[in-house]
PDB file of all heavy atoms in Angstrom:
ATOM      1  N   ASP B 231     -19.854-192.344 -48.120  1.00  0.00           N
ATOM      2  CA  ASP B 231     -19.014-192.137 -46.927  1.00  0.00           C
ATOM      3  C   ASP B 231     -17.518-192.285 -47.244  1.00  0.00           C
ATOM      4  O   ASP B 231     -16.709-192.509 -46.356  1.00  0.00           O
ATOM      5  CB  ASP B 231     -19.448-193.070 -45.783  1.00  0.00           C
ATOM      6  CG  ASP B 231     -19.309-194.535 -46.175  1.00  0.00           C
ATOM      7  OD1 ASP B 231     -18.811-194.802 -47.288  1.00  0.00           O
ATOM      8  OD2 ASP B 231     -19.691-195.395 -45.368  1.00  0.00           O
ATOM      9  N   LYS B 232     -17.184-192.170 -48.496  1.00  0.00           N
ATOM     10  CA  LYS B 232     -15.760-192.263 -48.852  1.00  0.00           C
ATOM     11  C   LYS B 232     -15.252-190.895 -49.310  1.00  0.00           C
ATOM     12  O   LYS B 232     -14.811-190.704 -50.432  1.00  0.00           O
ATOM     13  CB  LYS B 232     -15.556-193.326 -49.932  1.00  0.00           C
ATOM     14  CG  LYS B 232     -15.894-194.712 -49.387  1.00  0.00           C
ATOM     15  CD  LYS B 232     -15.700-195.798 -50.393  1.00  0.00           C
ATOM     16  CE  LYS B 232     -15.931-197.153 -49.755  1.00  0.00           C
ATOM     17  NZ  LYS B 232     -17.299-197.280 -49.135  1.00  0.00           N
ATOM     18  N   VAL B 233     -15.355-189.962 -48.367  1.00  0.00           N
ATOM     19  CA  VAL B 233     -14.987-188.577 -48.703  1.00  0.00           C
ATOM     20  C   VAL B 233     -13.509-188.460 -49.022  1.00  0.00           C
ATOM     21  O   VAL B 233     -13.079-187.524 -49.686  1.00  0.00           O
ATOM     22  CB  VAL B 233     -15.340-187.610 -47.546  1.00  0.00           C
ATOM     23  CG1 VAL B 233     -16.815-187.319 -47.530  1.00  0.00           C
ATOM     24  CG2 VAL B 233     -14.885-188.162 -46.210  1.00  0.00           C
ATOM     25  N   TYR B 234     -12.725-189.448 -48.539  1.00  0.00           N
ATOM     26  CA  TYR B 234     -11.276-189.384 -48.786  1.00  0.00           C
ATOM     27  C   TYR B 234     -10.927-189.582 -50.257  1.00  0.00           C
ATOM     28  O   TYR B 234      -9.773-189.504 -50.643  1.00  0.00           O
ATOM     29  CB  TYR B 234     -10.544-190.413 -47.918  1.00  0.00           C
ATOM     30  CG  TYR B 234     -11.168-191.786 -47.950  1.00  0.00           C
ATOM     31  CD1 TYR B 234     -10.852-192.702 -48.946  1.00  0.00           C
ATOM     32  CD2 TYR B 234     -12.117-192.149 -46.989  1.00  0.00           C
ATOM     33  CE1 TYR B 234     -11.441-193.942 -48.986  1.00  0.00           C
ATOM     34  CE2 TYR B 234     -12.723-193.392 -47.023  1.00  0.00           C
ATOM     35  CZ  TYR B 234     -12.386-194.293 -48.028  1.00  0.00           C
ATOM     36  OH  TYR B 234     -12.989-195.518 -48.073  1.00  0.00           O
ATOM     37  N   ARG B 235     -11.961-189.844 -51.079  1.00  0.00           N
ATOM     38  CA  ARG B 235     -11.708-189.934 -52.520  1.00  0.00           C
ATOM     39  C   ARG B 235     -11.742-188.563 -53.197  1.00  0.00           C
ATOM     40  O   ARG B 235     -11.550-188.445 -54.398  1.00  0.00           O
ATOM     41  CB  ARG B 235     -12.750-190.838 -53.167  1.00  0.00           C
ATOM     42  CG  ARG B 235     -12.446-192.299 -52.917  1.00  0.00           C
ATOM     43  CD  ARG B 235     -13.496-193.223 -53.452  1.00  0.00           C
ATOM     44  NE  ARG B 235     -13.067-194.605 -53.280  1.00  0.00           N
ATOM     45  CZ  ARG B 235     -13.876-195.656 -53.318  1.00  0.00           C
ATOM     46  NH1 ARG B 235     -15.168-195.466 -53.535  1.00  0.00           N
ATOM     47  NH2 ARG B 235     -13.412-196.861 -53.143  1.00  0.00           N
ATOM     48  N   HIS B 236     -12.072-187.546 -52.385  1.00  0.00           N
ATOM     49  CA  HIS B 236     -12.145-186.199 -52.959  1.00  0.00           C
ATOM     50  C   HIS B 236     -10.985-185.350 -52.462  1.00  0.00           C
ATOM     51  O   HIS B 236     -10.561-185.485 -51.307  1.00  0.00           O
ATOM     52  CB  HIS B 236     -13.477-185.549 -52.569  1.00  0.00           C
ATOM     53  CG  HIS B 236     -14.653-186.307 -53.126  1.00  0.00           C
ATOM     54  ND1 HIS B 236     -15.099-186.121 -54.404  1.00  0.00           N
ATOM     55  CD2 HIS B 236     -15.419-187.278 -52.579  1.00  0.00           C
ATOM     56  CE1 HIS B 236     -16.128-186.952 -54.627  1.00  0.00           C
ATOM     57  NE2 HIS B 236     -16.339-187.667 -53.535  1.00  0.00           N
ATOM     58  N   PRO B 237     -10.461-184.488 -53.304  1.00  0.00           N
ATOM     59  CA  PRO B 237      -9.269-183.712 -52.929  1.00  0.00           C
ATOM     60  C   PRO B 237      -9.468-182.840 -51.695  1.00  0.00           C
ATOM     61  O   PRO B 237      -8.533-182.614 -50.929  1.00  0.00           O
ATOM     62  CB  PRO B 237      -8.995-182.849 -54.166  1.00  0.00           C
ATOM     63  CG  PRO B 237     -10.182-182.977 -55.043  1.00  0.00           C
ATOM     64  CD  PRO B 237     -10.890-184.234 -54.676  1.00  0.00           C
ATOM     65  N   THR B 238     -10.697-182.375 -51.484  1.00  0.00           N
ATOM     66  CA  THR B 238     -10.937-181.450 -50.372  1.00  0.00           C
ATOM     67  C   THR B 238     -10.819-182.129 -49.007  1.00  0.00           C
ATOM     68  O   THR B 238     -10.787-181.473 -47.974  1.00  0.00           O
ATOM     69  CB  THR B 238     -12.352-180.850 -50.482  1.00  0.00           C
ATOM     70  OG1 THR B 238     -13.245-181.925 -50.775  1.00  0.00           O
ATOM     71  CG2 THR B 238     -12.419-179.808 -51.580  1.00  0.00           C
ATOM     72  N   PHE B 239     -10.726-183.472 -48.980  1.00  0.00           N
ATOM     73  CA  PHE B 239     -10.616-184.201 -47.724  1.00  0.00           C
ATOM     74  C   PHE B 239      -9.266-183.929 -47.051  1.00  0.00           C
ATOM     75  O   PHE B 239      -9.107-184.050 -45.849  1.00  0.00           O
ATOM     76  CB  PHE B 239     -10.774-185.706 -48.006  1.00  0.00           C
ATOM     77  CG  PHE B 239     -10.617-186.590 -46.804  1.00  0.00           C
ATOM     78  CD1 PHE B 239     -11.614-186.652 -45.839  1.00  0.00           C
ATOM     79  CD2 PHE B 239      -9.469-187.362 -46.638  1.00  0.00           C
ATOM     80  CE1 PHE B 239     -11.471-187.482 -44.743  1.00  0.00           C
ATOM     81  CE2 PHE B 239      -9.331-188.183 -45.541  1.00  0.00           C
ATOM     82  CZ  PHE B 239     -10.331-188.253 -44.590  1.00  0.00           C
TER      83      PHE B 239
END
Side-chain angles (χ1 to χ4, degrees):
Chain B
D231 61 4
K232 294 181 175 57
V233 283
Y234 47 85
R235 283 176 175 162
H236 297 277
T238 45
F239 177 73

